[in-house]
Amino acid sequence: MAKKKGGRKPKATPVSPSAPVPKTPASPVSTSGDTPHFCFRWADRATQEAWAFSPAEDAGELIAFLYEMSQLTWSAIEAQQTGGQQRRRKHHSQEISTLETAAQNDISKRKLDTRFGETMFRFRVAGGKRLWGFRNGRVFHAIWWDPDHAVYPTDPN
């Protein structure tokens, strides 16, 4: 039997969530036919705002939702609509500049806008519950769990 060359593999160095990561350029290849991958590396658990990523009470509902979304393509996700007569997209991109000022400050403080760009993506989970993050190709980087629709409040009327 041939002897293996090289011996042991070097151990991987753990990466700190605060370690700088170069911004990944937008993929020139469409990922609309791909299913999403969900990443929680950048989840914001430090903010003092109501949208801190801490879905303890809603964990079961959120996991069930993520499972359902993981079975769909990005194209199918973006095609989902809500509302009666006034149909609108259920899950969509949103410019950071349109968000609540405190949310904009949280993004800026963590430099997530320089890492991912000026547009977030939000999922409407149920009622006023939203999952906010950044889409990079097929990967959705979850940032906030917004159970009270506080990141981008709308007039209920």
Side-chain angles (χ1 to χ4, degrees):
M1 227 193 265
K3 190 174 182 179
K4 289 185 181 179
K5 292 184 179 182
R8 282 192 197 173
K9 285 186 175 181
K11 287 185 177 180
T13 306
V15 178
S16 166
S18 61
V21 174
K23 183 178 173 184
T24 305
S27 173
V29 178
S30 173
T31 57
S32 64
D34 292 334
T35 55
H37 288 193
F38 294 97
C39 176
F40 298 90
R41 178 179 182 193
W42 305 106
D44 187 355
R45 297 174 57 96
T47 185
Q48 298 301 305
E49 302 297 338
W51 50 77
F53 193 86
S54 183
E57 292 176 17
D58 303 312
E61 179 180 23
L62 180 57
I63 289 170
F65 176 81
L66 293 173
Y67 172 78
E68 298 230 354
M69 293 298 105
S70 73
Q71 304 304 302
L72 303 173
T73 64
W74 275 109
S75 180
I77 290 168
E78 291 178 328
Q80 289 185 354
Q81 294 188 344
T82 187
Q85 294 290 342
Q86 296 180 339
R87 306 290 288 169
R88 56 188 172 272
R89 290 185 306 150
K90 194 172 182 180
H91 317 293
H92 58 81
S93 297
Q94 182 95 26
E95 293 294 319
I96 293 171
S97 62
T98 65
L99 305 180
E100 189 69 34
T101 303
Q104 293 179 45
N105 292 340
D106 281 347
I107 292 294
S108 179
K109 196 180 328 175
R110 295 182 65 212
K111 298 181 178 19
L112 294 174
D113 50 344
T114 59
R115 183 177 314 278
F116 294 110
E118 298 293 325
T119 304
M120 294 188 80
F121 190 88
R122 70 104 168 136
F123 285 100
R124 179 184 185 272
V125 178
K129 298 175 184 179
R130 305 291 185 264
L131 177 63
W132 289 87
F134 292 95
R135 185 173 167 201
N136 186 346
R138 74 185 307 177
V139 179
F140 177 79
H141 297 274
I143 306 297
W144 297 316
W145 173 243
D146 181 16
D148 303 319
H149 205 303
V151 171
Y152 182 75
T154 56
D155 184 1
N157 297 325

